[in-house]
Amino acid sequence: MSGVWVFKNGVVRRVENPSGGEPGGGLRRKVLVHLPTNQVVTSLTMLESVLAELGWERYPSTPDLIQFHKRSSVHLISVPRDFSRFTSVHMYDVVVKCRNAFGVRDA
């Protein structure tokens, strides 16, 4: 049983296919963008080089995660070692801690 509950005008109903038949469930894929160059971040190497330019250093972490630390703050940025597992949660973690350097947009 799949579907989404929709609340509209005080009425609750279940919609079977809220995406209107779009592939991928109608969800738009997000991408991380380096704002000064307007380039989409496509690899961990690219992300790490930009973060290094901004003063972020690698921090000891788990086998699945790479963490970055900035000496002037208590914040950590956590990203998966496997960039194919890089999700919008990780993107927003980077954006919140580097507001002037990164943004998220629809692919």
Side-chain angles (χ1 to χ4, degrees):
M1 182 184 227
S2 64
V4 176
W5 289 98
V6 177
F7 299 87
K8 187 174 182 181
N9 298 329
V11 177
V12 180
R13 63 186 174 96
R14 192 169 62 86
V15 178
E16 282 296 324
N17 190 2
S19 67
E22 293 177 22
L27 298 175
R28 293 186 181 150
R29 200 174 122 249
K30 303 286 185 185
V31 291
L32 183 67
V33 178
H34 182 234
L35 296 175
T37 61
N38 204 28
Q39 286 186 318
V40 174
V41 177
T42 56
S43 70
L44 187 57
T45 307
M46 183 178 181
L47 176 61
E48 188 171 4
S49 68
V50 173
L51 288 174
E53 289 173 12
L54 297 171
W56 291 85
E57 303 171 348
R58 270 196 186 219
Y59 192 75
S61 58
T62 67
D64 295 337
L65 287 176
I66 296 177
Q67 293 182 317
F68 297 94
H69 170 258
K70 198 169 192 178
R71 290 182 188 256
S72 62
S73 81
V74 296
H75 298 294
L76 284 175
I77 294 174
S78 300
V79 296
R81 283 189 193 275
D82 180 3
F83 199 75
S84 67
R85 302 187 79 172
F86 191 74
T87 65
S88 61
V89 173
H90 302 108
M91 291 178 204
Y92 285 107
D93 188 27
V94 173
V95 169
V96 165
K97 293 167 184 156
C98 304
R99 293 178 195 269
N100 297 329
F102 292 99
V104 174
R105 71 173 186 220
D106 291 332

